[in-house]
Amino acid sequence: MDPVVRPIALADIASHRACLDAVGRERLWLAFVEAPPLPEVAAFVSRHLDGTQPMTVAVAGDQVVGWCDITRAERPIHTHKGIMGMGLLPEFRGRGLGRRLLAETLAGARQAGFRRIELTVRATNAPGIALYLALGFTEEGRLRDDFRLDGHVDDTLIMGLLFDGTS
Ligand SMILES: CC(C)(COP(=O)(O)OP(=O)(O)OC[C@H]1O[C@@H](n2cnc3c(N)ncnc32)[C@H](O)[C@@H]1OP(=O)(O)O)[C@@H](O)C(=O)NCCC(=O)NCCS
């Protein structure tokens, strides 16, 4: 059965943390290599429950198998800007679920009044980059030699999306 894509709820926190942890421990995609402690994840999720910052999960049965969050940048000059993060458990990749998660979360961000969404992605993450380009992101910059772990050396791309139509 196709996973359900919906806004995250308080009851998802432990399962979401397990998903985050599994993707982090792959040590290939994210800026962290394990999930933060449960209270930290709970606090993060709680800030995404009132509609001001969207967070979406993909759920199979009662297990979170993927997430996408957009967090408002804090500095006064940046409050129009959201930072995006996402991931899926390996067995749920490559079948359009990432696209569903991101599209839903971007719709929430637009509704919440964000003007700009940005993200960083490893320069060799072909599925990620393909997805972001397909949903309107533009490559804005490259951090050279930014990723080094377990012998993997990579650049990081900065990508951005503007909701005013200029993309
Ligand atoms: C990146 C990720 C979220 C994408 O989600 P996904 O469900 O696998 O991707 P989708 O199936 O929705 O496909 C997205 C696009 O990538 C393309 N794609 C999929 N696999 C690909 C591959 N190996 N090479 C090139 N393009 C690929 C698809 O064709 C699709 O493009 P289209 O919609 O224009 O046809 C998911 O693969 C993932 O969780 N990866 C590991 C964690 C990660 O990279 N997180 C993001 C860090 S920035």
Side-chain angles (χ1 to χ4, degrees), residues 62-126:
D62 56 4
Q63 185 193 11
V64 173
V65 300
W67 80 92
C68 181
D69 56 63
I70 292 178
T71 301
R72 199 172 290 277
E74 283 178 6
R75 299 206 165 131
I77 61 164
H78 286 149
T79 56
H80 64 297
K81 179 166 101 167
I83 316 294
M84 198 284 288
M86 70 183 300
L88 290 168
L89 295 180
E91 58 271 36
F92 290 91
R93 293 175 192 160
R95 41 161 136 156
L97 193 51
R99 177 185 269 268
R100 286 171 58 203
L101 268 173
L102 182 54
E104 180 90 8
T105 313
L106 287 175
R110 193 185 279 269
Q111 199 159 6
F114 285 90
R115 302 284 302 182
R116 169 184 166 80
I117 308 298
E118 69 182 43
L119 62 88
T120 55
V121 58
R122 271 185 73 176
T124 53
N125 186 342

Side-chain angles (χ1 to χ4, degrees), residues 51 56 61 64 143 152 163:
T56 309
V64 173
L143 305 172
H152 298 283
F163 284 143

